[in-house]
Amino acid sequence: MTQPASGDEHPAGSFTHDYERRMELLVRRLPARIQSLVRRLRRPSARWIRVPVGIVLVPAGFLAILPVFGLWMTPLGLLLLAEDISFLRRGMARLLAWVERRHPGWMGLPEAGENPEGNSSV
């Protein structure tokens, strides 16, 4: 069995780094006020609020037929819970990787075949 070179990163470290990078790309797409709120909610010290809010948002999203509720609540709740529940975090990491590959524009990255300046290549 081969040992990783001393400069190689452990796969778990790479997973965490990629997840955090992708989450930050999404957060940057939000309005400035919401960015600061999301960053505060993602801090480890905010777990006491993140978990209960996530638990309430997931089933509330299924009540979308009522005027106050909406389908947006379920994915937001799952996103909040993914910060603290490892199997949800792995699923969210896979989803974010898929979004980055298939729809990079959703993360503020240039689309495939698009120049960084926004001009399409012809």
Side-chain angles (χ1 to χ4, degrees):
M1 197 151 111
T2 61
Q3 294 284 331
S6 60
D8 288 349
E9 209 173 317
H10 187 273
S14 175
F15 167 82
T16 302
H17 174 74
D18 288 343
Y19 178 79
E20 291 300 325
R21 180 183 60 78
R22 289 176 179 127
M23 285 298 295
E24 185 56 31
L25 286 171
L26 284 178
V27 170
R28 287 182 192 163
R29 303 277 298 176
L30 298 171
R33 283 185 158 174
I34 300 206
Q35 282 183 25
S36 63
L37 175 65
V38 169
R39 286 190 179 108
R40 269 186 269 138
L41 280 174
R42 292 193 68 231
R43 290 182 190 155
S45 61
R47 182 179 191 173
W48 64 272
I49 188 119
R50 196 172 44 237
V51 172
V53 169
I55 289 171
V56 168
L57 285 174
V58 170
F62 294 108
L63 299 174
I65 59 170
L66 300 173
V68 177
F69 299 100
L71 289 175
W72 59 270
M73 298 172 111
T74 299
L76 179 60
L78 290 172
L79 189 68
L80 288 173
L81 290 172
E83 291 294 315
D84 299 302
I85 301 172
S86 63
F87 77 88
L88 286 176
R89 189 175 181 112
R90 284 190 302 271
M92 190 59 63
R94 287 184 188 135
L95 178 65
L96 290 174
W98 180 84
V99 167
E100 186 178 33
R101 277 191 319 272
R102 304 287 264 180
H103 303 285
W106 294 1
M107 297 183 124
L109 300 171
E111 296 282 342
E114 183 179 303
N115 291 334
E117 295 85 31
N119 301 332
S120 61
S121 58
V122 178

